[in-house]
Amino acid sequence: MYEKVKVINLKGSVAPQPKNLQVVSFDSNWKEVYIGASRKDTFMAVCPNNVPDAQEVTAVYKTKEKEHVTISSAKWCPMESCTVLVLGSQHGIQIYDWNGANIILDYDFTSNEIKKDEKEIIGFQARGIAAIGSSYLAVGLHTGEIVMFCIELQQENYICNFIGKFKNHVDYITELASSTTQAGKFLASGDSNGIICVWKEVAGQLVHHVKIQDWQGFPVTTITIWNRYKDGLLIVGYGNGMIRMFDLNTGKLVSEITAHCAWITGMDLASSSGLLLTCSEDGYVRVWQLSLKGPLIEHWYSQPIPDSLLMGAKFLDPNGSTFCLSSFDSSEIQVYRM
């Protein structure tokens, strides 16, 4: 099974946010791969492999006349012509080129008239980031809205256009995930009350498709989509440690498991092998095997991580042979390999 093989050090420690660990690869054999996480106003990333010209990435969310910026969500989004780094905060959304060197778009909440959430329970924040298809980008907001952009790289110039705002949540959005299946390009959104909405991208717009609201009460913390299962399998982690799987097209519950005994804080899917990686505040990392024959999901591996409040888990290759973990208030990224 998996064994710890090395530790990668970031420039700073990791903030206490679910899915606070991101990975991007720039080659097919996953040699030039970068691992990143955020703390306060800074997103930090390093390449764990011996790659010539590898960079240390440091992206700082910059604002004018505003203090105490906190990144609430960060993600690399591979598009058709480029890869962008998206940072969300309590002040807005900023889109950079992949290494944070140049800002492409600054979407400020105040100037774009984004107000407090309807229940006025939390402050402003952007949570959940997903690339849809080849050029669209979606970000979830505290208002229950999803804002959508179109991003293209023409020669050396980025073209970024605001598409619109789409709403079908009352509570604030906590997570987004997207995938392309035989039935189309889908986006799934989850909120703080456990409600899930499935959207389809149609002619550059989000069209609401299915609403799943039978399991309210615990927030959605992680979402991923397995597009090899029929019309797509929606895999959702919750604040109570449950994992539920739904048919992406119909919203029907397919399977559920008690995966952890605390908040699920990280989830990733190895697209080639069907391995599902999860981590939780209970201090455990687990790997599950998804299958199209026999049981849909089976427990495959479990490991306690001592003295760690886990904040993120990511595979480092599409087969799932290597994964990494981040922990709150630690700069160490732990790497495990078969």
Side-chain angles (χ1 to χ4, degrees):
M1 285 297 180
Y2 294 94
E3 294 183 356
K4 186 175 177 180
V5 292
K6 60 182 174 181
V7 172
I8 307 300
N9 285 291
L10 299 176
K11 281 187 174 181
S13 59
V14 173
Q17 299 168 358
K19 298 197 75 172
N20 194 0
L21 183 64
Q22 297 299 321
V23 169
V24 66
S25 174
F26 291 101
D27 57 5
S28 58
N29 60 4
W30 286 67
K31 182 72 173 176
E32 188 182 355
V33 60
Y34 287 83
I35 302 171
S38 63
R39 177 71 181 222
K40 296 183 179 178
D41 63 348
T42 303
F43 180 83
M44 312 151 288
V46 295
C47 178
N49 302 321
N50 185 16
V51 175
D53 303 324
Q55 302 181 35
E56 275 199 4
V57 176
T58 302
V60 179
Y61 196 108
K62 300 180 179 67
T63 59
K64 295 181 179 179
E65 301 177 353
K66 294 176 182 177
E67 298 180 351
H68 310 299
V69 177
T70 300
I71 294 173
S72 54
S73 188
K75 189 174 185 178
W76 278 298
C77 293
M79 318 297 281
E80 183 178 40
S81 57
C82 59
T83 295
V84 296
L85 173 63
V86 185
L87 304 179
S89 79
Q90 78 270 38
H91 298 304
I93 303 160
Q94 291 187 349
I95 304 174
Y96 298 80
D97 51 15
W98 78 271
N99 60 1
N102 300 297
I103 188 167
I104 301 168
L105 175 73
D106 184 2
Y107 184 83
D108 182 76
F109 286 155
T110 301
S111 60
N112 285 280
E113 299 182 349
I114 302 295
K115 301 178 181 179
K116 292 182 179 179
D117 63 298
E118 291 182 0
K119 295 183 179 181
E120 296 190 0
I121 295 174
I122 65 165
F124 297 81
Q125 63 173 300
R127 294 281 297 277
I129 301 166
I132 309 171
S134 59
S135 57
Y136 295 107
L137 176 71
V139 182
L141 302 183
H142 57 280
T143 57
E145 296 170 303
I146 297 171
V147 290
M148 187 170 169
F149 306 91
C150 179
I151 301 175
E152 295 177 333
L153 179 62
Q154 296 183 2
Q155 296 180 345
E156 295 183 356
N157 298 316
Y158 287 97
I159 298 175
C160 186
N161 294 314
F162 174 74
I163 301 297
K165 293 185 289 187
F166 306 87
K167 184 168 183 177
N168 218 294
H169 291 272
V170 174
D171 299 281
Y172 65 91
I173 292 176
T174 54
E175 173 69 326
L176 298 180
S178 64
S179 186
T180 300
T181 73
Q182 294 180 351
K185 298 173 183 176
F186 286 91
L187 175 74
S189 56
D191 68 27
S192 61
N193 196 30
I195 294 176
I196 303 158
C197 290
V198 179
W199 313 73
K200 289 186 74 173
E201 184 268 308
V202 180
Q205 299 289 312
L206 287 181
V207 177
H208 187 255
H209 183 66
V210 171
K211 194 166 191 174
I212 305 170
Q213 50 188 344
D214 293 335
W215 290 271
Q216 300 182 41
F218 289 93
V220 170
T221 58
T222 58
I223 303 177
T224 191
I225 299 172
W226 191 34
N227 58 15
R228 293 179 59 191
Y229 176 88
K230 297 181 180 179
D231 289 330
L233 184 70
L234 180 64
I235 307 169
V236 183
Y238 293 82
N240 60 354
M242 295 291 294
I243 291 177
R244 292 190 177 94
M245 303 184 183
F246 305 92
D247 184 290
L248 183 64
N249 195 38
T250 64
K252 181 181 178 180
L253 180 68
V254 178
S255 178
E256 65 177 347
I257 54 175
T258 304
H260 294 273
C261 62
W263 278 58
I264 296 176
T265 54
M267 179 184 288
D268 198 19
L269 179 65
S271 57
S272 297
S273 63
L275 291 177
L276 179 71
L277 174 69
T278 61
C279 72
S280 166
E281 288 184 350
D282 63 10
Y284 275 83
V285 58
R286 293 193 166 103
V287 179
W288 315 79
Q289 178 67 67
L290 302 178
S291 178
L292 297 175
K293 297 179 180 179
L296 177 60
I297 183 168
E298 289 186 299
H299 179 257
W300 203 58
Y301 169 83
S302 186
Q303 175 71 41
I305 310 299
D307 303 320
S308 298
L309 185 60
L310 298 174
M311 286 294 112
K314 281 286 186 178
F315 283 120
L316 289 175
D317 63 86
N319 293 318
S321 61
T322 309
F323 67 80
C324 57
L325 303 169
S326 66
S327 303
F328 167 54
D329 208 25
S330 173
S331 62
E332 295 184 345
I333 305 297
Q334 303 180 56
V335 180
Y336 286 75
R337 182 176 294 137
M338 283 188 194

